[in-house]
């Protein structure tokens, strides 16, 4: 028996994702996939059997109603609050919903991205082999766009057993390891030294394409807009814009870039 | 040519922890572009163990790999061996595409300014542009977006000072000695000189793009 959910409330970056679109770069399309791969995997592991597609939501949370059937839902990523018909549930989440149930996820103390996974396959067309929403290209997922209130998703068949995820402790605050990128030599020694000794802050300006960093010192000054030959870029690359703003590229990055690319990873 | 490609001495550098980049040059040239296309084709014909995606770019080839199957240093060594043992000849004859294009007017709002800046009439520019021997240099930047080159030195214009937030699919773009074709709505700092009905991106098709790096391109003015 199939199950149908209806989105009751969705933040602006609520999207359908799977592990991403492989072999798409040759066509000018980046892989997309979950911003927090560990959270995505953990949500599936909560319910042990999961379909390949899940819902990624942000600090605005998400609410959904099960219109028909029953559906097991796993939730993970960050620390969010989950309520079933108004009663609080534990997070990470593992719950079977019956028709009429309303699940409401609201922001908690930590986490920019959270995930819901389901014990069935989401009935959604695969575009270039994947259900992942690419917000830059407007393809995949639910009609190539973010989910919004009143959208309905149906589920059929059975999911597959979810592999054990690797756990990342969200409380940890270790330095982020990196390697120098292909354009790092365009910055002089002092700038590179300052890059590794100065704290940067994640700004509120983030989406699936990239995360802007606050550079209070600043380490990177405005410079001439160098015109560099376009080379491939990867998620995790740090690009320095002409005005000195550092941007960390994320899952829906453009496939090639000609801006300063400092380090990937 | 056979010996010449190896003279480029590419650098193999990591692009994060699951991709390598084979870089043939730090600026665009016909030789570096041909080397990138040829090497990517060579790898695609017989992918190295652990390689997941092989992506040619303007002057480099990106190889995404599975680090549980092969380490970056092992793959780097393998790529070196492959490159130095590679024959320079392209693996197949180049395909030729005709690109019927409406130049100027509403379809190409920058055409007149571009022709003026080159001290050509619009018709002279169109003739010179369409007479060029163009090849697809790379797909990238946006879905199905292709760069084609190269124009002669007398057809070089810089990018526009202002970026247009949105040009429509099929827009023919011109700058820095190249002609590019937009396949989806994109922002661009290139000059919009025309419009074609050809669409290089259809995600419901397999493969979703038609043009491949190395293909020849012939522009034809239509009204």
């Amino acid at each position: 028996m199939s199950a149908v959910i209806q989105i009751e409330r969705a933040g602006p970056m609520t999207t359908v994702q799977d592990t991403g679109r492989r072999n798409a770069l040759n066509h000018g399309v980046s892989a997309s996939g979950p911003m927090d791969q560990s959270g995505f995997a953990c949500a599936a592991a909560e319910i042990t059997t999961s379909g390949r597609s899940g819902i990624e939501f942000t600090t605005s949370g998400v609410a959904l109603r099960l219109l028909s059937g029953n559906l097991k839902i796993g939730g993970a990523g960050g620390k969010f609050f989950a309520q079933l018909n108004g009663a609080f549930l534990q997070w990470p989440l593992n719950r079977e919903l019956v028709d009429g149930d309303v699940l409401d996820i609201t922001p908690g103390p930590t986490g920019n991205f959270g995930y819901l996974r389901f014990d069935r396959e989401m009935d959604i067309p695969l575009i270039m082999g994947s259900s992942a929403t690419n917000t830059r290209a407007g393809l995949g997922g639910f009609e190539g766009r973010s989910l919004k209130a009143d959208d309905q998703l149906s589920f059929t068949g059975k999911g597959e057993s979810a592999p054990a995820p690797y756990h990342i402790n969200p409380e940890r605050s270790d330095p982020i390891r990196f390697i120098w990128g292909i354009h790092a030599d365009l910055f002089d020694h002092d700038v590179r030294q300052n890059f590794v000794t100065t704290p940067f802050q994640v700004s509120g300006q983030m989406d699936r394409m990239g995360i802007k960093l606050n550079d209070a010192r600043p380490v990177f000054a405005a410079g001439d807009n160098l015109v560099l030959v376009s080379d491939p870029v990867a998620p995790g690359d740090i690009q320095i814009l002409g005005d000195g703003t550092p941007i960390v590229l994320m899952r829906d990055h453009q496939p090639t870039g000609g801006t300063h690319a400092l380090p990937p990873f | 040519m056979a010996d010449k490609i190896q003279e480029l001495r590419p650098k193999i550098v990591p692009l994060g922890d699951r991709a390598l980049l084979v870089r043939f040059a730090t600026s665009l040239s016909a030789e570096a572009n041909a080397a990138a296309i040829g090497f990517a084709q060579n790898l695609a014909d017989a992918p190295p163990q652990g390689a997941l995606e092989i992506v040619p770019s303007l002057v480099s080839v990106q190889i995404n790999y599975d680090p549980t199957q092969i380490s970056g240093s092992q793959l780097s060594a393998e790529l070196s061996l492959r490159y130095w043992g590679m024959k320079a000849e392209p693996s197949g004859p180049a395909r030729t595409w005709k690109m019927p294009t409406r130049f100027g007017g509403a379809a190409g709002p920058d055409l007149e300014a571009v022709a003026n800046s080159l001290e050509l009439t619009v018709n002279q520019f169109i003739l010179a542009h369409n007479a060029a021997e163009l090849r697809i240099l790379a797909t990238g930047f946006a879905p199905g977006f292709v760069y084609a080159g190269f124009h002669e030195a007398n057809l070089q214009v810089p990018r526009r000072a202002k970026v247009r937030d949105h040009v429509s699919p099929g827009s023919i773009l011109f700058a820095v000695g190249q002609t590019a074709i937009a396949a989806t709505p994109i922002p661009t700092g290139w000059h919009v000189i025309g419009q074609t009905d050809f669409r290089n991106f259809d995600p419901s098709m397999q493969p979703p793009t038609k043009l491949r790096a190395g293909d020849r391109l012939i522009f034809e003015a239509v009204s």
Side-chain angles (χ1 to χ4, degrees):
Chain A
M1 187 176 141
S2 66
V4 179
I5 62 170
Q6 175 168 295
I7 303 295
E8 299 283 299
R9 179 177 59 77
M13 287 198 292
T14 306
T15 57
V16 173
Q17 296 294 337
D18 61 12
T19 52
R21 193 163 276 113
R22 302 297 158 201
N23 295 311
L25 282 170
N26 269 316
H27 308 291
V29 178
S30 52
S32 300
M35 292 284 280
D36 172 0
Q37 295 181 328
S38 171
F40 185 75
C42 288
E46 284 295 323
I47 46 175
T48 61
T49 303
S50 171
R52 63 181 281 168
S53 308
I55 294 176
E56 176 179 275
F57 54 89
T58 65
T59 49
S60 320
V62 64
L64 56 86
R65 178 189 300 269
L66 188 62
L67 293 184
S68 65
N70 48 5
L71 191 63
K72 214 184 231 185
I73 299 187
K79 284 187 178 171
F80 288 84
F81 293 118
Q83 293 172 68
L84 181 66
N85 306 323
F88 279 99
L89 302 175
Q90 277 194 332
W91 189 266
L93 172 75
N94 172 2
R95 190 72 182 202
E96 179 146 18
L97 267 58
V98 297
D99 54 352
D101 279 352
V102 174
L103 180 68
D104 193 352
I105 313 288
T106 49
T110 60
N112 286 310
F113 295 92
Y115 296 89
L116 295 178
R117 301 286 298 270
F118 312 91
D119 67 341
R120 317 270 190 87
E121 280 300 342
M122 196 184 288
D123 189 10
I124 200 158
L126 299 185
I127 303 294
M128 296 167 70
S130 163
S131 69
T133 313
N134 184 321
T135 55
R136 173 183 293 274
L139 63 84
F142 190 91
E143 298 172 0
R145 61 167 171 83
S146 297
L147 291 168
K148 56 185 193 212
D150 296 334
D151 286 342
Q152 292 186 4
L153 294 166
S154 58
F155 296 82
T156 49
K158 269 188 162 176
E160 293 182 353
S161 71
Y166 57 95
H167 281 272
I168 291 179
N169 183 348
E171 304 293 325
R172 264 170 58 171
S173 182
D174 290 344
I176 295 169
R177 300 187 307 148
F178 76 98
I179 54 173
W180 294 112
I182 60 172
H183 295 138
D185 57 357
L186 295 172
F187 299 92
D188 65 28
H189 176 266
D190 286 351
V191 172
R192 283 185 280 158
Q193 201 58 37
N194 290 341
F195 174 73
V196 289
T197 55
T198 308
F200 291 81
Q201 191 187 34
V202 174
S203 82
Q205 282 173 274
M206 66 167 77
D207 60 21
R208 291 189 42 83
M209 301 177 208
I211 296 172
K212 185 181 153 187
L213 300 182
N214 289 329
D215 175 15
R217 186 171 180 164
V219 172
F220 297 104
D224 296 334
N225 249 329
L226 289 181
V227 177
L228 304 169
V229 64
S230 278
D231 265 311
V233 294
D237 274 13
I238 303 177
Q239 290 207 329
I240 310 301
L241 304 186
D243 66 359
T245 304
I247 307 252
V248 187
L249 299 185
M250 286 289 129
R251 301 280 161 209
D252 293 352
H253 65 91
Q254 66 185 43
T256 54
T259 328
H260 289 173
L262 197 64
F265 200 39
Chain B
M1 189 74 181
D3 298 327
K4 211 173 162 191
I5 274 188
Q6 266 89 0
E7 281 169 23
L8 283 167
R9 298 190 174 276
K11 281 191 176 155
I12 303 176
V13 292
L15 194 68
D17 60 354
R18 51 198 64 202
L20 292 177
L21 190 66
V22 183
R23 267 183 118 200
F24 292 91
T26 54
S27 62
L28 184 55
S29 68
E31 291 73 26
N33 180 250
I37 294 170
F39 189 47
Q41 188 61 53
N42 180 285
L43 293 177
D45 289 345
Q49 184 206 337
L52 301 177
E53 283 185 270
I54 294 151
V55 190
S57 188
L58 287 171
V59 295
S60 55
V61 181
Q62 174 184 357
I63 297 101
N64 291 350
Y65 63 93
D66 176 356
T68 66
Q69 284 188 53
I70 193 166
S71 73
S73 54
Q74 278 177 307
L75 180 59
S76 177
E78 173 69 19
L79 292 173
S80 264
L81 284 173
R82 290 285 291 269
Y83 177 70
W84 293 103
M86 177 176 90
K87 288 189 186 144
E89 292 87 47
S91 58
R95 304 181 302 171
T96 300
W97 298 85
K98 288 190 173 158
M99 204 59 57
T101 299
R102 296 180 298 282
F103 284 94
D110 299 331
L111 178 67
E112 215 170 314
V114 166
N116 285 343
S117 74
L118 295 169
E119 299 180 354
L120 297 171
T121 67
V122 163
N123 280 338
Q124 284 171 334
F125 171 81
I126 294 171
L127 283 175
H129 176 273
N130 295 1
E133 279 254 343
L134 297 180
R135 281 176 185 269
I136 305 291
L137 305 178
T139 303
F141 170 64
F145 182 94
V146 291
Y147 304 88
F150 293 97
H151 291 289
E152 299 290 334
N154 62 348
L155 282 192
Q156 302 273 340
V157 296
R159 292 174 178 82
R160 280 160 49 87
K162 260 186 122 173
V163 171
R164 277 198 176 84
D165 288 340
H166 175 268
V167 298
S168 57
S171 292
I172 305 297
L173 311 173
F174 183 76
V176 294
Q178 295 168 49
T179 301
I181 308 170
T184 56
I186 52 159
T188 183
W190 289 37
H191 305 271
V192 182
I193 61 168
Q195 179 80 25
T196 179
D197 291 335
F198 181 84
R199 295 288 179 271
N200 192 39
F201 184 68
D202 180 350
S204 67
M205 298 294 285
Q206 181 56 28
T209 57
K210 301 185 185 105
L211 303 176
R212 280 202 305 259
D215 288 354
R216 288 168 189 272
L217 209 52
I218 297 172
F219 285 92
E220 292 179 333
V222 295
S223 50

